[in-house]
Amino acid sequence: MHAGDVAIQMSAVGEDTPAREAARVLAAQDLPGLIVLDRRGRPLTVLAGTQVLRMALPSYCQDDPALARVIDEAAADVIFEGIGDRTVADLLPRNRPELPAVSADATLLEVAAVMARSNVPLVAVVDKNRVMTGAITLDGLLDRMLGT
Amino acid sequence: MHAGDVAIQMSAVGEDTPAREAARVLAAQDLPGLIVLDRRGRPLTVLAGTQVLRMALPSYCQDDPALARVIDEAAADVIFEGIGDRTVADLLPRNRPELPAVSADATLLEVAAVMARSNVPLVAVVDKNRVMTGAITLDGLLDRMLGT
């Protein structure tokens, strides 16, 4: 079995995607992060879900979670107020984590080795032009490797 | 809506749980990590999925993913050989990440604020004795907050 057999299709975003839209994409798919692609569809980096949350929540909430308890507003309003008009590029940290990538013919053990080196439970599957054709999650990988 | 309304039941492990069993628990549930409980059921820390993978894979695979490609063995055999007879306690890093915990009556915004401070997309829900009664994932939280 190879990477191409385990890869799933997942929504990705670009650097120009509004951050509000990115938060919705993240929420809509049950995945550990958002893959950011360049204009040619090649993976640039990955935005972890907690990072999106960190960028979206106003700092007064993060500094004092007890304060968040007493805010009399719908949570979504506060999230979207925090995001404002920023784009994905604005959410990316200065030190962008590299999104590991493998080819479709990589073995599962190779995918596991590549994923183990990163802190993100996602690996992109790319073609020979480095254009993303799918992604493999840690969960999908373990399911196949351990037969669960 | 409060934390108790969003919390899900999830399998947790103890420090004495064999690491092989922990890898199976992680694979069996579609969750970003494994919560480690003490003997009274209070959350101690969380093991990220990539951490389990890092501990499970033999170092010769991680040092050179290209080598992993040519190993002529079933991936599960290599994983379980790497884990050996270790327990969850053996897999835990020295600097254990703190698993954020909230009470069942925390607001969703409060849960978001607590989660944003950590790098783990999981928050434990605990009772007044700090015994875990459930957990909230980032995905579950965003689904409720953004209505996706």
Side-chain angles (χ1 to χ4, degrees):
Chain A
M1 202 182 307
H2 295 96
D5 305 317
V6 183
I8 54 168
Q9 294 304 312
M10 64 176 280
S11 309
V13 296
E15 285 186 285
D16 299 337
T17 304
R20 285 165 184 255
E21 174 63 20
R24 283 207 188 86
V25 171
L26 180 71
Q29 52 187 0
D30 192 11
L31 289 171
L34 267 183
I35 293 180
V36 185
L37 301 178
D38 72 11
R39 287 169 191 216
R40 292 185 183 177
R42 296 173 303 196
L44 275 177
T45 185
V46 61
L47 256 176
T50 47
Q51 208 160 37
V52 176
L53 203 57
R54 205 143 50 228
M55 300 294 176
L57 275 185
S59 57
Y60 63 82
C61 286
Q62 295 182 54
D63 294 344
D64 185 0
L67 192 67
R69 174 186 283 260
V70 298
I71 294 172
D72 191 21
E73 266 183 275
D77 293 346
V78 176
I79 286 271
F80 286 126
E81 173 201 293
I83 288 182
D85 293 325
R86 288 182 291 172
T87 65
V88 165
D90 298 324
L91 300 192
L92 292 173
R94 285 198 194 151
N95 292 319
R96 298 181 178 189
E98 194 196 343
L99 175 68
V102 297
S103 65
D105 65 352
T107 64
L108 296 196
L109 201 54
E110 192 178 354
V111 176
V114 166
M115 199 182 282
R117 291 173 142 201
S118 86
N119 286 315
V120 182
L122 269 179
V123 168
V125 180
V126 295
D127 68 16
K128 63 184 190 324
N129 298 316
R130 278 195 56 81
V131 172
M132 189 170 88
T133 58
I136 299 174
T137 64
L138 173 64
D139 198 71
L141 181 69
L142 287 180
D143 282 353
R144 294 302 185 94
M145 288 179 94
L146 306 183
T148 48
Chain B
M1 201 181 309
H2 295 96
D5 306 316
V6 183
I8 53 168
Q9 294 305 311
M10 63 176 281
S11 308
V13 297
E15 285 186 285
D16 299 337
T17 304
R20 286 166 185 255
E21 174 63 20
R24 282 206 188 87
V25 171
L26 180 70
Q29 52 187 1
D30 191 12
L31 289 172
L34 267 182
I35 292 179
V36 186
L37 300 178
D38 71 11
R39 289 171 189 216
R40 293 185 182 177
R42 295 173 302 197
L44 276 177
T45 185
V46 61
L47 256 176
T50 47
Q51 208 159 36
V52 175
L53 203 59
R54 203 144 51 227
M55 300 294 175
L57 275 185
S59 57
Y60 63 82
C61 286
Q62 294 181 55
D63 295 343
D64 185 1
L67 193 65
R69 174 186 282 260
V70 299
I71 294 171
D72 190 20
E73 266 183 276
D77 294 346
V78 175
I79 286 270
F80 285 127
E81 173 201 294
I83 289 182
D85 293 325
R86 287 182 290 170
T87 64
V88 165
D90 298 324
L91 300 192
L92 292 174
R94 284 195 195 154
N95 292 320
R96 299 180 177 189
E98 194 196 341
L99 176 67
V102 297
S103 65
D105 65 353
T107 63
L108 296 196
L109 202 55
E110 193 179 353
V111 176
V114 166
M115 198 182 282
R117 292 174 142 201
S118 85
N119 286 313
V120 183
L122 268 179
V123 168
V125 180
V126 296
D127 67 16
K128 63 186 193 320
N129 298 315
R130 278 195 57 83
V131 171
M132 190 170 86
T133 58
I136 299 174
T137 63
L138 172 65
D139 199 70
L141 180 69
L142 286 181
D143 282 354
R144 293 304 185 95
M145 289 179 92
L146 306 185
T148 48

